[in-house]
Amino acid sequence: MSTGSPTFSVNHIWIFYHYSGKEGDRYKLSKGELKELLTSELTDFLSGHKDPLLIDKIMNDLDSNKDNEVDFNEFVILVAALTVACNDFFEEQLKKERF
Amino acid sequence: MSTGSPTFSVNHIWIFYHYSGKEGDRYKLSKGELKELLTSELTDFLSGHKDPLLIDKIMNDLDSNKDNEVDFNEFVILVAALTVACNDFFEEQLKKERF
């Protein structure tokens, strides 16, 4: 029986196009769009970092083909990395509670 | 302003542990648990494939450390691959509608 949770990937696609369609190429995130996505959707994550160059660093890491934009395949790398980090934290807490 | 969509990664973590906790190591998916996850959560995806060895092939592809179980980091690869495939389909449909 299904968990009833939303289907695997639709939320990430929806979030990506919500921001990528704001300016320029509607299928890619410009630096401004990426910044808006990160600050709007990941407020807690960003508020814990004081580095003023954080957005530039994330952009640089994700933009593997160096076209100064982030396409969906590059964006998925960020989603996967955040998911793994989030799980590491969750699993650690779970193990602490059990032992 | 946020899209209001669920936070990035929590659904996948929730789905993973819902199935991984059923037998054996609660932090890893056995082949049986992976099969149950795929058949319950991705019914449409699996119903389009007639290969009786599909689950074994997916298990073999994901289980990079060959311990016959799938941990969360290995599971994220599946989520990312499905997300990219889903987006490719969505983007193609979107482009067809526009031109």
Side-chain angles (χ1 to χ4, degrees):
Chain A
M1 194 179 153
S2 167
T3 57
S5 286
T7 319
F8 267 74
S9 35
V10 176
N11 283 336
H12 302 139
I13 296 175
W14 158 242
I15 290 172
F16 180 86
Y17 288 106
H18 177 77
Y19 293 94
S20 73
K22 289 181 185 267
E23 62 177 24
D25 188 334
R26 70 176 66 235
Y27 302 109
K28 293 179 179 179
L29 293 167
S30 66
K31 187 178 157 187
E33 289 167 338
L34 177 68
K35 184 176 181 176
E36 194 179 341
L37 185 157
L38 293 172
T39 50
S40 303
E41 304 295 333
L42 290 166
T43 314
D44 293 345
F45 169 72
L46 284 183
S47 65
H49 293 81
K50 302 294 175 204
D51 184 352
L53 294 176
L54 183 63
I55 304 281
D56 295 84
K57 287 177 182 172
I58 294 174
M59 180 85 188
N60 196 45
D61 284 347
L62 294 179
D63 181 20
S64 55
N65 65 354
K66 301 300 171 199
D67 66 350
N68 290 315
E69 294 189 295
V70 171
D71 64 26
F72 188 82
N73 291 3
E74 292 166 341
F75 172 69
V76 163
I77 304 295
L78 174 66
V79 175
L82 287 170
T83 304
V84 165
C86 187
N87 176 66
D88 287 349
F89 176 79
F90 176 72
E91 199 173 301
E92 200 178 312
Q93 295 303 312
L94 213 63
K95 284 176 178 170
K96 272 185 193 165
E97 280 171 23
R98 289 183 193 279
F99 296 106
Chain B
M1 192 180 153
S2 166
T3 56
S5 285
T7 319
F8 267 74
S9 35
V10 176
N11 283 337
H12 301 138
I13 295 175
W14 158 240
I15 290 172
F16 181 85
Y17 288 105
H18 177 78
Y19 293 94
S20 72
K22 288 180 186 269
E23 61 177 26
D25 188 332
R26 70 176 67 236
Y27 302 109
K28 293 180 179 178
L29 292 168
S30 65
K31 187 178 157 189
E33 289 167 339
L34 177 68
K35 184 176 182 177
E36 194 179 343
L37 185 157
L38 294 172
T39 51
S40 302
E41 304 295 332
L42 291 165
T43 314
D44 293 345
F45 169 74
L46 285 183
S47 65
H49 292 80
K50 302 295 177 203
D51 184 352
L53 294 176
L54 183 62
I55 303 282
D56 295 84
K57 288 177 182 172
I58 293 174
M59 180 85 186
N60 196 46
D61 284 347
L62 293 179
D63 181 20
S64 56
N65 66 355
K66 302 301 172 199
D67 65 350
N68 290 315
E69 294 189 295
V70 171
D71 64 26
F72 189 81
N73 291 3
E74 292 166 341
F75 173 68
V76 163
I77 305 295
L78 174 67
V79 175
L82 287 170
T83 304
V84 166
C86 186
N87 175 67
D88 287 348
F89 176 78
F90 175 73
E91 199 173 300
E92 200 179 313
Q93 296 302 311
L94 214 63
K95 284 177 178 171
K96 271 185 193 165
E97 281 172 22
R98 289 183 193 280
F99 297 105

